[in-house]
Coordinates of all heavy atoms in Angstrom, one line a residue:
M90 N 1.0 -42.7 -4.6 CA -0.2 -41.6 -4.6 C -0.4 -41.1 -3.2 O -0.6 -39.9 -3.3 CB -1.3 -42.4 -5.3 CG -2.4 -41.5 -5.6 SD -2.0 -40.4 -6.9 CE -3.5 -40.0 -7.6
R91 N -0.3 -41.9 -2.3 CA -0.4 -41.4 -1.0 C 0.7 -40.4 -0.6 O 0.4 -39.4 0.2 CB -0.5 -42.5 0.0 CG -1.8 -43.3 -0.1 CD -1.8 -44.4 1.1 NE -2.9 -45.1 0.8 CZ -3.2 -46.3 1.8 NH1 -2.4 -46.6 2.7 NH2 -4.3 -47.0 1.4
I92 N 1.8 -40.8 -1.0 CA 2.9 -39.9 -0.6 C 2.8 -38.4 -1.2 O 3.0 -37.5 -0.5 CB 4.3 -40.5 -1.1 CG1 4.5 -41.7 -0.3 CG2 5.4 -39.5 -0.9 CD1 5.7 -42.6 -0.8
I93 N 2.4 -38.4 -2.5 CA 2.1 -37.1 -3.1 C 1.0 -36.3 -2.3 O 1.1 -35.1 -2.1 CB 1.8 -37.3 -4.6 CG1 3.0 -37.9 -5.3 CG2 1.4 -36.0 -5.3 CD1 2.8 -38.3 -6.7
F94 N -0.1 -37.1 -2.1 CA -1.1 -36.5 -1.4 C -0.8 -35.8 0.0 O -1.1 -34.7 0.3 CB -2.3 -37.5 -1.2 CG -3.4 -36.9 -0.4 CD1 -4.3 -35.9 -0.8 CD2 -3.6 -37.4 1.0 CE1 -5.4 -35.5 -0.2 CE2 -4.6 -36.8 1.6 CZ -5.6 -35.9 1.1
F95 N 0.0 -36.6 0.7 CA 0.4 -36.1 2.1 C 1.6 -35.0 2.0 O 1.6 -34.0 2.7 CB 1.0 -37.4 3.0 CG -0.1 -38.1 3.5 CD1 -0.2 -39.5 3.1 CD2 -1.0 -37.7 4.4 CE1 -1.2 -40.3 3.7 CE2 -2.1 -38.4 4.9 CZ -2.2 -39.8 4.5
A96 N 2.2 -35.0 0.9 CA 3.2 -34.0 0.6 C 2.5 -32.7 0.4 O 2.9 -31.6 0.9 CB 4.2 -34.4 -0.5
I97 N 1.5 -32.7 -0.5 CA 0.7 -31.6 -0.8 C 0.0 -31.1 0.5 O -0.1 -29.8 0.7 CB -0.3 -31.9 -2.0 CG1 0.5 -32.1 -3.2 CG2 -1.3 -30.7 -2.1 CD1 -0.4 -32.6 -4.4
L98 N -0.6 -31.9 1.1 CA -1.3 -31.6 2.4 C -0.4 -30.9 3.3 O -0.7 -30.0 4.0 CB -2.0 -32.8 3.1 CG -2.9 -32.5 4.3 CD1 -4.0 -31.7 3.9 CD2 -3.4 -33.8 4.8
L99 N 0.8 -31.5 3.5 CA 1.8 -30.9 4.5 C 2.4 -29.5 4.0 O 2.4 -28.6 4.7 CB 3.0 -31.9 4.6 CG 4.1 -31.4 5.5 CD1 3.5 -31.4 7.0 CD2 5.2 -32.5 5.5
S100 N 2.5 -29.4 2.7 CA 3.0 -28.2 2.1 C 1.9 -27.0 2.4 O 2.3 -25.8 2.6 CB 3.5 -28.2 0.8 OG 2.4 -28.5 0.0
L101 N 0.8 -27.4 2.2 CA -0.4 -26.4 2.3 C -0.6 -25.9 3.8 O -0.8 -24.8 4.1 CB -1.7 -27.0 1.8 CG -1.8 -27.1 0.2 CD1 -3.1 -27.7 -0.2 CD2 -1.6 -25.8 -0.3
S102 N -0.4 -26.9 4.7 CA -0.6 -26.6 6.1 C 0.6 -25.7 6.6 O 0.5 -25.0 7.5 CB -0.8 -27.8 7.0 OG 0.3 -28.7 6.9
A103 N 1.7 -26.0 6.0 CA 3.0 -25.4 6.5 C 2.9 -23.9 6.0 O 3.4 -23.0 6.6 CB 4.3 -25.9 5.9
G104 N 2.3 -23.6 4.9 CA 2.2 -22.3 4.3 C 1.3 -21.6 5.2 O 1.5 -20.3 5.5
S105 N 0.2 -22.0 5.8 CA -0.7 -21.3 6.7 C -0.1 -21.0 8.0 O -0.4 -20.1 8.7 CB -2.0 -22.0 6.8 OG -1.8 -23.2 7.4
V106 N 0.9 -21.8 8.4 CA 1.6 -21.6 9.6 C 2.3 -20.4 9.6 O 2.4 -19.6 10.6 CB 2.4 -22.9 10.1 CG1 3.2 -22.6 11.3 CG2 1.5 -24.0 10.4
H107 N 3.1 -20.1 8.5 CA 4.0 -19.0 8.3 C 3.1 -17.7 8.0 O 3.7 -16.6 7.9 CB 5.0 -19.3 7.3 CG 5.9 -20.3 7.7 ND1 6.8 -20.2 8.8 CD2 6.1 -21.6 7.2 CE1 7.5 -21.3 9.0 NE2 7.1 -22.2 8.0
G108 N 1.9 -17.8 7.8 CA 1.1 -16.6 7.4 C 0.9 -15.7 8.5 O 0.9 -16.1 9.7
H109 N 0.8 -14.4 8.2 CA 0.6 -13.5 9.3 C -0.9 -13.1 9.3 O -1.5 -12.8 8.3 CB 1.5 -12.2 8.9 CG 1.2 -11.1 10.0 ND1 1.9 -11.2 11.2 CD2 0.5 -10.0 10.0 CE1 1.6 -10.1 11.8 NE2 0.8 -9.3 11.1
K110 N -1.5 -13.2 10.5 CA -3.0 -12.8 10.6 C -3.0 -11.7 11.6 O -2.4 -11.6 12.7 CB -3.7 -14.0 11.1 CG -3.7 -15.2 10.2 CD -4.6 -16.2 10.8 CE -4.6 -17.4 9.7 NZ -5.3 -18.6 10.2
C111 N -3.9 -10.8 11.3 CA -4.2 -9.6 12.2 C -5.4 -10.0 13.0 O -6.4 -10.5 12.4 CB -4.6 -8.4 11.3 SG -3.2 -7.7 10.3
V112 N -5.2 -9.9 14.3 CA -6.4 -10.3 15.2 C -6.9 -9.0 16.0 O -6.0 -8.4 16.7 CB -6.0 -11.5 16.1 CG1 -7.1 -11.7 17.0 CG2 -5.6 -12.7 15.3
L113 N -8.1 -8.8 16.0 CA -8.6 -7.6 16.8 C -8.8 -8.2 18.2 O -9.6 -9.1 18.4 CB -10.0 -7.2 16.2 CG -10.6 -6.0 16.8 CD1 -9.7 -4.7 16.7 CD2 -12.0 -5.7 16.2
S114 N -8.1 -7.6 19.2 CA -8.0 -8.1 20.5 C -9.1 -7.5 21.4 O -9.2 -7.8 22.5 CB -6.6 -8.1 21.1 OG -6.3 -6.7 21.1
G115 N -9.5 -6.4 21.0 CA -10.6 -5.6 21.9 C -11.3 -4.7 21.0 O -11.2 -4.5 19.7
T116 N -12.1 -3.9 21.9 CA -13.0 -2.8 21.1 C -12.5 -1.5 21.4 O -13.2 -0.5 21.0 CB -14.5 -3.1 21.6 OG1 -14.5 -2.9 23.0 CG2 -15.0 -4.3 21.1
G117 N -11.4 -1.4 22.1 CA -10.9 -0.1 22.4 C -10.3 0.7 21.2 O -9.9 0.0 20.1
A118 N -10.0 2.0 21.3 CA -9.5 2.7 20.2 C -8.1 2.2 19.9 O -7.7 2.1 18.7 CB -9.6 4.2 20.6
S119 N -7.3 2.0 20.9 CA -6.0 1.6 20.6 C -5.9 0.2 20.0 O -5.1 0.0 19.1 CB -5.0 1.6 21.9 OG -5.6 0.6 22.9
E120 N -6.7 -0.7 20.3 CA -6.7 -2.1 19.7 C -7.2 -2.0 18.3 O -6.6 -2.7 17.4 CB -7.7 -3.0 20.5 CG -7.2 -3.5 21.8 CD -7.7 -2.6 23.0 OE1 -8.3 -1.6 22.7 OE2 -7.2 -2.8 24.1
I121 N -8.2 -1.1 18.1 CA -8.6 -1.0 16.6 C -7.7 -0.3 15.8 O -7.4 -0.7 14.7 CB -9.9 -0.1 16.6 CG1 -11.1 -0.9 17.3 CG2 -10.4 0.3 15.2 CD1 -12.4 -0.2 17.5
A122 N -6.9 0.7 16.3 CA -5.8 1.4 15.6 C -4.7 0.3 15.2 O -4.2 0.3 14.1 CB -5.3 2.4 16.5
I123 N -4.3 -0.5 16.2 CA -3.2 -1.5 16.0 C -3.7 -2.6 15.0 O -3.0 -2.8 14.0 CB -2.9 -2.3 17.3 CG1 -2.2 -1.3 18.3 CG2 -2.1 -3.5 17.1 CD1 -2.1 -2.0 19.7
Y124 N -5.1 -3.0 15.0 CA -5.5 -3.8 13.9 C -5.6 -3.2 12.6 O -5.2 -3.8 11.6 CB -7.0 -4.3 14.4 CG -7.6 -5.1 13.4 CD1 -7.4 -6.4 13.2 CD2 -8.6 -4.6 12.5 CE1 -8.1 -7.2 12.4 CE2 -9.3 -5.3 11.6 CZ -9.1 -6.7 11.6 OH -9.6 -7.5 10.6
N125 N -6.0 -2.0 12.6 CA -6.1 -1.2 11.2 C -4.6 -1.1 10.6 O -4.3 -1.2 9.5 CB -6.7 0.1 11.4 CG -8.2 0.0 11.5 OD1 -8.8 -1.0 11.1 ND2 -8.8 1.0 12.0
A126 N -3.6 -0.8 11.5 CA -2.3 -0.7 11.1 C -1.8 -2.0 10.6 O -1.1 -2.1 9.5 CB -1.4 -0.3 12.2
C127 N -2.1 -3.1 11.3 CA -1.7 -4.4 10.8 C -2.3 -4.7 9.5 O -1.6 -5.2 8.5 CB -2.1 -5.4 11.9 SG -1.7 -7.2 11.4
K128 N -3.6 -4.5 9.2 CA -4.3 -4.8 8.0 C -3.6 -3.9 6.8 O -3.4 -4.4 5.8 CB -5.7 -4.5 8.0 CG -6.4 -5.5 8.9 CD -6.3 -6.9 8.4 CE -7.5 -7.4 7.7 NZ -7.4 -8.8 7.3
N129 N -3.3 -2.7 7.1 CA -2.7 -1.7 6.2 C -1.3 -2.3 5.7 O -0.9 -2.2 4.6 CB -2.6 -0.4 6.7 CG -2.1 0.6 5.7 OD1 -2.5 0.5 4.6 ND2 -1.1 1.4 6.1
D130 N -0.5 -2.8 6.7 CA 0.8 -3.4 6.4 C 0.7 -4.6 5.4 O 1.5 -4.8 4.6 CB 1.5 -3.7 7.7 CG 2.1 -2.5 8.4 OD1 2.0 -1.5 7.9 OD2 2.4 -2.6 9.7
L131 N -0.3 -5.3 5.8 CA -0.6 -6.5 4.9 C -1.0 -6.1 3.5 O -0.4 -6.7 2.6 CB -1.7 -7.5 5.6 CG -1.2 -8.3 6.8 CD1 -2.6 -9.0 7.3 CD2 -0.2 -9.2 6.4
V132 N -1.7 -5.2 3.3 CA -2.2 -4.7 2.1 C -1.0 -4.0 1.3 O -0.8 -4.3 0.1 CB -3.3 -3.7 2.2 CG1 -3.5 -3.0 0.9 CG2 -4.7 -4.4 2.7
M133 N -0.2 -3.3 2.0 CA 0.9 -2.7 1.4 C 2.2 -3.6 1.2 O 3.1 -3.2 0.5 CB 1.4 -1.4 2.2 CG 0.3 -0.3 2.3 SD -0.1 0.3 0.7 CE 1.4 1.2 0.3
G134 N 2.1 -4.7 1.7 CA 3.2 -5.7 1.7 C 4.4 -5.2 2.6 O 5.5 -5.7 2.3
M135 N 4.1 -4.5 3.6 CA 5.2 -4.1 4.5 C 5.1 -4.9 5.7 O 5.6 -4.4 6.9 CB 5.0 -2.6 4.8 CG 5.3 -1.8 3.4 SD 4.9 0.0 3.6 CE 4.7 0.4 5.2
D136 N 4.5 -6.1 5.8 CA 4.4 -6.8 7.0 C 5.6 -7.7 7.4 O 5.7 -8.2 8.5 CB 3.2 -7.8 6.9 CG 3.4 -8.7 5.9 OD1 4.3 -8.6 4.9 OD2 2.6 -9.8 5.7
G137 N 6.7 -7.7 6.6 CA 7.9 -8.3 6.9 C 7.8 -9.7 6.5 O 8.9 -10.5 6.7
H138 N 6.7 -10.1 6.0 CA 6.6 -11.5 5.5 C 6.6 -11.7 4.0 O 6.7 -12.8 3.5 CB 5.3 -12.2 6.1 CG 5.3 -12.3 7.6 ND1 6.1 -13.0 8.3 CD2 4.6 -11.5 8.5 CE1 5.8 -12.8 9.6 NE2 4.9 -11.9 9.7
G139 N 6.5 -10.6 3.2 CA 6.6 -10.7 1.8 C 7.9 -10.7 1.3 O 8.9 -10.7 2.0
S140 N 8.0 -10.9 -0.1 CA 9.3 -10.9 -0.6 C 9.8 -9.5 -0.8 O 9.0 -8.4 -0.7 CB 9.1 -11.5 -2.0 OG 8.3 -10.8 -2.8
A141 N 11.2 -9.3 -1.0 CA 11.9 -8.0 -1.2 C 11.3 -7.4 -2.4 O 11.3 -6.2 -2.5 CB 13.3 -8.3 -1.2
G142 N 10.9 -8.2 -3.4 CA 10.5 -7.7 -4.7 C 9.2 -6.9 -4.5 O 9.0 -5.8 -5.2
A143 N 8.2 -7.3 -3.6 CA 7.1 -6.7 -3.3 C 7.4 -5.3 -2.8 O 6.7 -4.2 -3.1 CB 6.2 -7.5 -2.6
T144 N 8.3 -5.2 -1.9 CA 8.5 -3.9 -1.2 C 9.3 -2.9 -2.1 O 9.1 -1.8 -2.1 CB 9.3 -4.2 0.1 OG1 10.5 -4.9 -0.2 CG2 8.6 -4.9 1.2
D145 N 10.0 -3.6 -2.9 CA 10.7 -2.8 -4.0 C 9.6 -2.0 -4.9 O 9.8 -0.9 -5.4 CB 11.7 -3.6 -4.9 CG 12.9 -3.9 -4.0 OD1 13.2 -3.3 -3.0 OD2 13.7 -4.9 -4.4
Q146 N 8.7 -2.9 -5.2 CA 7.6 -2.4 -6.2 C 6.9 -1.3 -5.5 O 6.4 -0.3 -6.1 CB 6.7 -3.6 -6.6 CG 7.1 -4.4 -7.6 CD 6.2 -5.7 -7.9 OE1 5.3 -5.9 -7.2 NE2 6.6 -6.3 -9.0
V147 N 6.6 -1.4 -4.2 CA 5.8 -0.4 -3.4 C 6.7 0.8 -3.4 O 6.1 1.9 -3.5 CB 5.5 -1.0 -2.1 CG1 5.0 0.1 -1.1 CG2 4.5 -2.0 -2.1
S148 N 8.0 0.7 -3.1 CA 8.8 1.9 -3.0 C 8.9 2.6 -4.4 O 9.0 3.8 -4.5 CB 10.2 1.7 -2.4 OG 10.6 0.5 -2.5
Q149 N 9.0 1.8 -5.4 CA 9.0 2.4 -6.8 C 7.7 3.2 -7.1 O 7.8 4.1 -7.7 CB 9.4 1.3 -7.8 CG 9.5 1.8 -9.2 CD 10.8 2.4 -9.5 OE1 11.7 2.4 -8.6 NE2 10.9 3.2 -10.5
K150 N 6.7 2.5 -6.8 CA 5.3 3.2 -7.0 C 5.2 4.5 -6.2 O 4.8 5.4 -6.7 CB 4.2 2.1 -6.6 CG 2.8 2.8 -6.7 CD 2.2 2.1 -8.0 CE 0.8 2.6 -8.0 NZ 0.2 2.6 -9.2
L151 N 5.8 4.4 -5.0 CA 5.8 5.7 -4.2 C 6.7 6.8 -4.7 O 6.1 7.9 -4.8 CB 6.3 5.3 -2.7 CG 6.3 6.4 -1.8 CD1 4.9 7.0 -1.4 CD2 7.0 6.0 -0.4
I152 N 7.7 6.4 -5.3 CA 8.6 7.5 -5.9 C 8.0 8.0 -7.2 O 8.0 9.3 -7.4 CB 10.0 6.8 -6.3 CG1 10.8 6.4 -5.0 CG2 10.7 7.7 -7.2 CD1 12.0 5.5 -5.3
L153 N 7.2 7.2 -7.9 CA 6.5 7.6 -9.2 C 5.3 8.6 -8.7 O 5.1 9.6 -9.4 CB 6.0 6.5 -9.9 CG 7.1 5.7 -10.6 CD1 6.5 4.4 -11.3 CD2 7.8 6.5 -11.7
L154 N 4.6 8.3 -7.6 CA 3.4 9.0 -7.2 C 4.0 10.4 -6.7 O 3.3 11.4 -6.9 CB 2.7 8.2 -6.2 CG 1.9 7.1 -6.7 CD1 1.3 6.3 -5.6 CD2 0.8 7.5 -7.6
E155 N 5.1 10.4 -6.0 CA 5.6 11.6 -5.4 C 6.1 12.5 -6.7 O 5.9 13.7 -6.6 CB 6.8 11.3 -4.5 CG 6.4 10.8 -3.2 CD 7.4 10.4 -2.4 OE1 8.7 10.2 -2.8 OE2 7.3 10.1 -1.0
A156 N 6.7 11.9 -7.7 CA 7.1 12.7 -8.8 C 5.8 13.3 -9.5 O 5.8 14.5 -9.9 CB 7.9 11.9 -9.9
E157 N 4.8 12.4 -9.6 CA 3.5 12.9 -10.3 C 2.8 14.1 -9.4 O 2.4 15.0 -10.0 CB 2.6 11.8 -10.5 CG 1.3 12.1 -11.1 CD 0.3 11.0 -11.2 OE1 0.5 9.9 -10.6 OE2 -0.7 11.2 -11.9
N158 N 3.0 13.9 -8.1 CA 2.5 14.9 -7.2 C 3.1 16.3 -7.4 O 2.5 17.3 -7.5 CB 2.6 14.4 -5.8 CG 1.7 15.2 -4.7 OD1 0.9 16.0 -5.2 ND2 2.2 15.2 -3.6
R159 N 4.4 16.3 -7.5 CA 5.3 17.5 -7.8 C 4.8 18.2 -9.1 O 4.6 19.3 -9.2 CB 6.6 17.2 -7.7 CG 7.2 17.0 -6.3 CD 8.8 16.9 -6.3 NE 9.3 15.9 -7.0 CZ 9.5 14.7 -6.6 NH1 9.2 14.3 -5.3 NH2 10.0 13.8 -7.3
Q160 N 4.6 17.3 -10.1 CA 4.2 17.9 -11.4 C 2.8 18.4 -11.4 O 2.5 19.5 -11.9 CB 4.2 16.6 -12.5 CG 5.6 16.2 -12.9 CD 5.5 15.0 -13.8 OE1 4.5 14.4 -14.0 NE2 6.7 14.8 -14.5
L161 N 1.9 17.9 -10.7 CA 0.5 18.3 -10.5 C 0.5 19.6 -9.8 O -0.2 20.6 -10.0 CB -0.3 17.4 -10.0 CG -0.7 16.2 -10.9 CD1 -1.5 15.1 -10.2 CD2 -1.5 16.6 -12.1
Q162 N 1.4 19.7 -8.7 CA 1.4 20.9 -7.9 C 2.1 22.1 -8.8 O 1.6 23.2 -8.7 CB 2.3 20.7 -6.6 CG 1.7 19.8 -5.5 CD 2.6 19.6 -4.5 OE1 3.9 19.7 -4.5 NE2 1.9 19.0 -3.4
A163 N 3.0 21.9 -9.7 CA 3.6 22.8 -10.5 C 2.5 23.3 -11.5 O 2.3 24.6 -11.7 CB 4.8 22.3 -11.2
K164 N 1.7 22.4 -12.1 CA 0.6 22.7 -13.0 C -0.5 23.6 -12.2 O -0.9 24.6 -12.8 CB -0.2 21.5 -13.6 CG 0.7 20.8 -14.6 CD -0.1 19.6 -15.3 CE 0.8 19.0 -16.3 NZ 0.0 17.8 -16.9
L165 N -0.8 23.2 -11.1 CA -1.7 24.1 -10.3 C -1.2 25.4 -10.0 O -2.0 26.4 -10.1 CB -2.0 23.2 -9.0 CG -3.1 23.9 -8.0 CD1 -4.4 23.9 -8.8 CD2 -3.1 23.1 -6.8
A166 N 0.0 25.5 -9.6 CA 0.7 26.9 -9.4 C 0.6 27.7 -10.7 O 0.3 28.9 -10.6 CB 2.1 26.7 -8.9
L167 N 0.8 27.1 -11.8 CA 0.8 27.8 -13.1 C -0.6 28.3 -13.4 O -0.8 29.4 -13.8 CB 1.3 26.9 -14.2 CG 1.4 27.5 -15.6 CD1 2.3 28.6 -15.7 CD2 1.6 26.5 -16.6
L168 N -1.6 27.4 -13.2 CA -3.0 27.8 -13.4 C -3.4 28.9 -12.4 O -4.1 29.8 -12.8 CB -3.9 26.6 -13.3 CG -3.8 25.6 -14.5 CD1 -4.6 24.3 -14.0 CD2 -4.2 26.2 -15.7
R169 N -3.0 28.8 -11.2 CA -3.3 29.9 -10.2 C -2.7 31.2 -10.6 O -3.4 32.2 -10.6 CB -2.8 29.4 -8.9 CG -3.2 30.3 -7.8 CD -2.7 29.9 -6.3 NE -3.3 28.6 -6.0 CZ -2.6 27.5 -5.7 NH1 -1.2 27.5 -5.6 NH2 -3.2 26.4 -5.3
N170 N -1.5 31.2 -11.1 CA -1.0 32.4 -11.6 C -1.6 33.0 -12.8 O -1.8 34.3 -12.9 CB 0.5 32.2 -11.9 CG 1.4 32.0 -10.6 OD1 1.0 32.5 -9.6 ND2 2.5 31.4 -10.7
R171 N -2.1 32.1 -13.7 CA -2.7 32.6 -14.9 C -4.1 33.2 -14.4 O -4.5 34.2 -14.9 CB -3.0 31.5 -15.9 CG -1.7 31.1 -16.6 CD -2.0 30.0 -17.7 NE -0.8 29.6 -18.4 CZ -0.7 28.6 -19.2 NH1 -1.8 27.9 -19.4 NH2 0.4 28.3 -19.7
L172 N -4.8 32.5 -13.6 CA -6.0 33.1 -13.1 C -5.9 34.4 -12.4 O -6.7 35.4 -12.6 CB -6.7 32.1 -12.1 CG -7.5 31.0 -12.8 CD1 -8.0 30.0 -11.7 CD2 -8.7 31.5 -13.6
L173 N -4.8 34.6 -11.7 CA -4.6 35.9 -11.0 C -4.3 36.9 -12.0 O -4.7 38.1 -11.8 CB -3.4 35.8 -9.9 CG -3.8 35.0 -8.7 CD1 -2.4 34.8 -7.9 CD2 -4.9 35.7 -7.8
D174 N -3.5 36.6 -13.0 CA -3.2 37.6 -14.1 C -4.5 38.0 -14.8 O -4.7 39.1 -15.1 CB -2.3 37.0 -15.2 CG -0.9 36.9 -14.6 OD1 -0.5 37.7 -13.6 OD2 -0.1 36.1 -15.2
L175 N -5.5 37.0 -15.1 CA -6.8 37.4 -15.6 C -7.6 38.2 -14.8 O -8.2 39.1 -15.3 CB -7.6 36.1 -16.1 CG -7.0 35.3 -17.2 CD1 -7.8 34.0 -17.3 CD2 -7.1 36.1 -18.5
M176 N -7.5 38.0 -13.5 CA -8.3 38.9 -12.5 C -7.8 40.2 -12.4 O -8.5 41.3 -12.2 CB -8.3 38.1 -11.1 CG -9.2 37.0 -11.2 SD -9.1 36.1 -9.6 CE -9.6 37.3 -8.5
K177 N -6.5 40.4 -12.7 CA -5.9 41.8 -12.7 C -6.5 42.6 -13.8 O -6.6 43.8 -13.7 CB -4.4 41.7 -12.8 CG -3.7 41.2 -11.6 CD -2.2 41.2 -11.8 CE -1.5 40.5 -10.6 NZ -0.1 40.4 -10.9
D178 N -6.8 42.1 -15.0 CA -7.3 42.7 -16.1 C -8.8 43.2 -15.9 O -9.3 44.1 -16.6 CB -7.2 41.9 -17.4 CG -5.8 41.7 -17.8 OD1 -4.9 42.4 -17.4 OD2 -5.6 40.5 -18.5
L179 N -9.5 42.5 -15.0 CA -10.9 43.0 -14.8 C -11.0 44.1 -14.0 O -11.1 45.1 -13.8 CB -11.6 41.7 -14.0 CG -11.7 40.5 -14.7 CD1 -12.4 39.4 -13.9 CD2 -12.6 40.7 -16.0

């Protein structure tokens, strides 16, 4: 029983050693910018410590969002042209 307990304790402590933490080292603009970039990398899974599957999911999501953005821009251009045509009739 003790062996299992110590094995679990050791594995939990080893996981925190490999974790990446963002530390705010000062109050200047550059330190805050570095800290914010670090936190953003952690949220996006681009900190280099995550699995490759997480970065693949992020890139797939980015590709889908870019495609949706192009579709919405095309719809907006179509609506803009229709409005301009309606204004010509006035």
Side-chain angles (χ1 to χ4, degrees):
M90 188 65 150
R91 286 183 185 177
I92 294 173
I93 294 173
F94 174 73
F95 285 117
I97 291 173
L98 184 63
L99 182 63
S100 67
L101 291 176
S102 65
S105 64
V106 169
H107 294 292
H109 181 76
K110 295 182 181 177
C111 300
V112 178
L113 183 60
S114 60
T116 58
S119 62
E120 289 91 1
I121 293 172
I123 291 169
Y124 175 77
N125 287 338
C127 178
K128 291 300 255 185
N129 185 45
D130 287 347
L131 285 175
V132 168
M133 296 297 291
M135 300 173 7
D136 59 345
H138 298 290
S140 64
T144 54
D145 289 342
Q146 287 177 345
V147 169
S148 16
Q149 184 70 20
K150 178 100 172 165
L151 181 62
I152 291 169
L153 291 173
L154 288 172
E155 287 173 344
E157 182 182 10
N158 189 22
R159 284 190 298 273
Q160 289 174 347
L161 290 172
Q162 286 176 346
K164 284 182 182 180
L165 185 61
L167 180 67
L168 289 173
R169 186 178 297 130
N170 289 336
R171 286 182 181 172
L172 280 174
L173 287 173
D174 288 341
L175 287 173
M176 287 175 56
K177 286 178 186 176
D178 295 336
L179 295 175

